[in-house]
Amino acid sequence: MGERFPDGPLSPAERAALEDLLIAEHESTTLQIAALTRDWDDLVESSTLVANDDEHDPEGATIAFERAHLQSLLDRARSHLDDLGQMAERLRQGTYGVCEGCGQPIPVERLRARPTARTCVGCAARR
């Protein structure tokens, strides 16, 4: 794939703007993970201090549901952070913005909207 676009499919200006976007997304996701981790820790701590039967509480969500929900959000954020790291590496290698499906450039508009996109719109639609 890299041979078709020796300098990558992006202009220097596009590359710089998308690099800034990846950095901002990384920082935002890192902050989100920190906040979710604090929420998780608070939930675990509060559940050890209270000895009530939340499974039968008609007033709302159970602690188990809240834990599962927080864990899902944490897993998603960590996965996104991993994807951002992979995209940053592809940017360094000059393959960021190249569709993994067909090898054609991914439109910059798509990368701006979804910086971790690995495929062009056409290949994504065929999935």
Side-chain angles (χ1 to χ4, degrees), residues 32-44:
Q32 180 185 26
I33 290 170
L36 289 168
T37 300
R38 282 190 304 275
D39 290 348
W40 173 268
D41 292 344
D42 290 347
L43 181 63
V44 169

Side-chain angles (χ1 to χ4, degrees), residues 53-65:
D53 183 9
D54 73 305
E55 296 296 324
H56 298 95
D57 181 1
E59 294 300 316
T62 65
I63 291 174
F65 172 81

Side-chain angles (χ1 to χ4, degrees), residues 5 17 24-25 34 44-46 74 76 82 85 101 105-106 110 113 119 121:
F5 310 103
E25 282 266 335
V44 169
E45 183 180 336
S46 69
L74 268 167
R76 188 178 322 164
D82 184 51
I106 299 172
R110 177 165 169 75
T119 58
V121 175

Side-chain angles (χ1 to χ4, degrees), residues 69-96:
H69 180 68
L70 275 174
Q71 186 62 55
S72 175
L73 292 172
L74 268 167
D75 290 346
R76 188 178 322 164
R78 288 177 179 141
S79 177
H80 185 62
L81 194 63
D82 184 51
D83 288 344
L84 288 166
Q86 291 174 27
M87 294 304 110
E89 181 59 30
R90 290 184 70 182
L91 187 66
R92 283 188 285 281
Q93 295 174 351
T95 58
Y96 180 68

Side-chain angles (χ1 to χ4, degrees), residues 100-121:
E100 290 181 355
C102 66
Q104 293 299 308
I106 299 172
V108 173
E109 298 78 21
R110 177 165 169 75
L111 293 172
R112 284 188 186 121
R114 188 176 171 168
T116 58
R118 297 175 180 272
T119 58
C120 66
V121 175

